[in-house]
Amino acid sequence: MRLTNVTHLRLPFGRLWGYDVTASALDRRLPVSFDQHAHVAAGERPGSWMALSFRLPRGIRRESIADAWLSVIARHGTLRTAFVLGADGEPELYDLEVGQGVWVEHRIAPGQAVNDAVRDVLDAACAPYQQPSHRLCVLETAAGLTVLIGADHSHVDMWSMLVIARDLLALLTARRPGATSLPGRAPAFVEHTQLLLDRAAAPDHVRQRWAHIIEDSGGVMPRFPLSLGAPEPQRERVEVRDVFDLDDGAAFAAQAREDGVSTLALAVVAMTAVTRELAGTPLRAVFPVHSRYDDNWHDSVGWFITNSVLESAVAEPRAAAAAVKQAVQLGSWPLADVLAPWGGMPIAPGMFAISWLDLRRLPVRIDSVGLDAQYVSATIHTDGVMLWFILDESGLHLRCRYPDTVEARVNVGAWLDLLVARLQTSARSSVRGLLRVGGRTFRLERASRDDVEAIAALLSDDQFGPDREGVELERYEAAYDMVARDSSNYLGVVRNGDDRVVATMQLTVIPGLSRGGSIRLQVEGLRVAEAERSKGLGTAMLEWAHDYGRARGAQLAQVTTDEARERARVFYTRLGYRSAHVGLKRGL
């Protein structure tokens, strides 16, 4: 799912509507979590929210959206709570009832960007002391409706936004006549808060580890290891980078499995190496971890995040995995007691935080591609560096927020550049691309434009090649450009130990409605250099291709070959392919 900022949000122009719910007087006082207290005690300010946007299927009316939204609110207790400033100056949390409201149009001024109008609405409605501090908006355009749901961060995390969107969509797309309700109320976040408050205090070794990391960071939470310029809040600079596509993401994960660690740990290896190289220090950062320890919280909405600290000194997989494990353990205890010696979390300018979210492993899912769903952050002033990683079915993405100073542009930019390069290098040198055949090792990888000439030579080097191939190189290069732009295609080359291209194939993932909506993997242009034929390389390539297809949901692999290619037909038959259909072709 795309991770973006409201300034960069891709929105069409249209009429912007907000749903104004009614709220009752405050009722029962509720417990406040450590992180909620820290967030709300900072007071009212713009940009304390997070949001999710997605497009709706055609034919849904605003009235239906409002009804569904009220049902979502009824299911999730945290959407029916509000903060007030207590008599002692401390934030207090209370129950309130949320009822039916009205749609209000938010005028987009002449020359005003839609993004700016959305930001103004969410800044006003989704602030810590608003009652309630969430807002449902709908952008009404000729192309359909786009929903934007924002909430102050004290009540939601990224997982929660998925739960809210899933529940709203379930109501809007329900096929049962009169389906207007969701399953019973999900456990309320305040119940989770109370459980944490009732837990035993952290053991001494946890306190000592926290103290050690804070001491090494100068008595404060970890800070970015390079200069950010003036130590006061600045206008933010937000960078969004697509680190891996699906193929490189799978390769990175395969390398992590080979090393016996998680993908997060392997990413920490790269961050540790980059920090050592550029700053000469260990990687040390604030590390948010989720606190949904039990399954019963998976469908709940709330700020199920607690902060920990991650320290990684050695750029090696097992060491990084141990650092991640320790960080998770440090974050599994109530923090108010642990951080009491510092009067709470000792935040200082330059604080460095790293967040990791693997959407593929969450039990909550929406069709983020079909809905064009996007996580949206607010625009703020900042004096620190915050790095978010999102891992999903399309690959690995990161968003980084830092103060927009000359020093930060240079130093954070250099750190990010080197990090992305290291991660991509790790993916492309992964064991996933290794083919071990007859005691020899080959590497299968995505072809580059520089490989086109070698690929053309392989295509020409067979019994039909002289008649079908042999055109000028520019035509092959133009064809390569078209293939490279189409994400459904994978043009691969195999290199031997001397880094020479000795084989190639093209894989195409074909979605379709036939066979119950089955996805097919098409294998084309599989060629092996004459010196490497009949040694098992072609078989290894096809096995790799089948794994590639399975990872993309393919249930069927298909290949075409000329009737005169008897050896090719024997080869494919031996590997389980059957001549179940007749392929017909004609020139155009």
Side-chain angles (χ1 to χ4, degrees), residues 296-511:
N296 63 304
W297 303 113
H298 286 179
D299 286 331
S300 295
V301 169
W303 196 358
F304 290 90
I305 297 294
T306 185
N307 283 308
S308 183
V309 281
L310 171 68
E311 184 176 61
S312 174
V314 181
E316 186 276 326
R318 295 287 182 176
V324 171
K325 182 178 180 180
Q326 183 179 77
V328 173
Q329 292 171 341
L330 291 178
S332 64
W333 297 93
L335 292 185
D337 183 56
V338 170
L339 297 177
W342 297 275
M345 190 174 293
I347 296 174
M351 191 175 82
F352 183 31
I354 299 169
S355 176
W356 180 275
L357 182 62
D358 189 343
L359 293 178
R360 304 169 309 167
R361 303 183 63 173
L362 294 189
V364 181
R365 289 176 177 269
I366 63 173
D367 178 12
S368 59
V369 175
L371 296 166
D372 192 21
Q374 304 175 71
Y375 278 122
V376 186
S377 68
T379 299
I380 65 169
H381 282 64
T382 186
D383 57 19
V385 178
M386 180 72 206
L387 186 65
W388 293 267
F389 286 96
I390 291 286
L391 191 59
D392 63 13
E393 289 82 358
S394 66
L396 179 66
H397 319 276
L398 71 79
R399 180 181 68 190
C400 185
R401 166 188 283 155
Y402 57 88
D404 196 10
T405 64
V406 173
E407 294 93 333
R409 287 188 183 189
V410 171
N411 290 327
V412 180
W415 192 90
L416 289 173
D417 287 344
L418 189 55
L419 173 62
V420 171
R422 287 287 171 85
L423 291 170
Q424 291 175 344
T425 297
S426 180
R428 289 164 189 169
S429 60
S430 162
V431 294
R432 180 175 181 264
L434 297 183
L435 304 178
R436 294 183 172 90
V437 181
R440 299 168 62 197
T441 300
F442 299 83
R443 174 167 294 282
L444 194 157
E445 62 187 25
R446 189 181 291 273
S448 72
R449 208 168 193 272
D450 292 338
D451 296 322
V452 171
E453 187 171 4
I455 293 172
L458 285 169
L459 294 173
S460 297
D461 186 24
D462 77 349
Q463 67 185 105
F464 298 106
D467 297 327
R468 296 179 180 177
E469 311 297 341
V471 298
E472 59 274 12
L473 183 62
E474 288 78 7
R475 286 182 58 183
Y476 289 104
E477 291 174 333
Y480 169 85
D481 293 339
M482 293 180 66
V483 170
R485 286 194 296 266
D486 186 344
S487 60
S488 63
N489 283 288
Y490 181 96
L491 180 61
V493 291
V494 177
R495 301 181 189 279
N496 64 10
D498 297 325
D499 202 35
R500 187 167 63 87
V501 174
V502 295
T504 184
M505 66 178 171
Q506 180 174 334
L507 308 176
T508 305
V509 175
I510 309 173

Side-chain angles (χ1 to χ4, degrees), residues 99-162:
Q100 190 169 4
V102 294
W103 287 101
V104 175
E105 184 171 5
H106 299 288
R107 298 289 180 182
I108 300 174
Q112 184 183 30
V114 177
N115 298 42
D116 292 337
V118 168
R119 182 192 61 205
D120 291 346
V121 170
L122 298 184
D123 278 348
C126 304
Y129 289 113
Q130 290 298 304
Q131 301 179 18
S133 58
H134 50 70
R135 183 70 164 183
L136 169 72
C137 294
V138 170
L139 187 61
E140 203 170 56
T141 76
L145 301 180
T146 294
V147 170
L148 299 109
I149 302 171
D152 184 74
H153 203 346
S154 59
H155 297 295
V156 296
D157 52 23
M158 296 178 79
W159 185 326
S160 297
M161 299 307 294
L162 274 182

Side-chain angles (χ1 to χ4, degrees), residues 72 75-76 162-172 182 299:
V72 171
R75 187 178 190 220
H76 298 291
L162 274 182
V163 171
I164 291 171
R166 180 205 62 189
D167 287 355
L168 185 71
L169 288 163
L171 288 165
L172 292 174
L182 289 165
D299 286 331

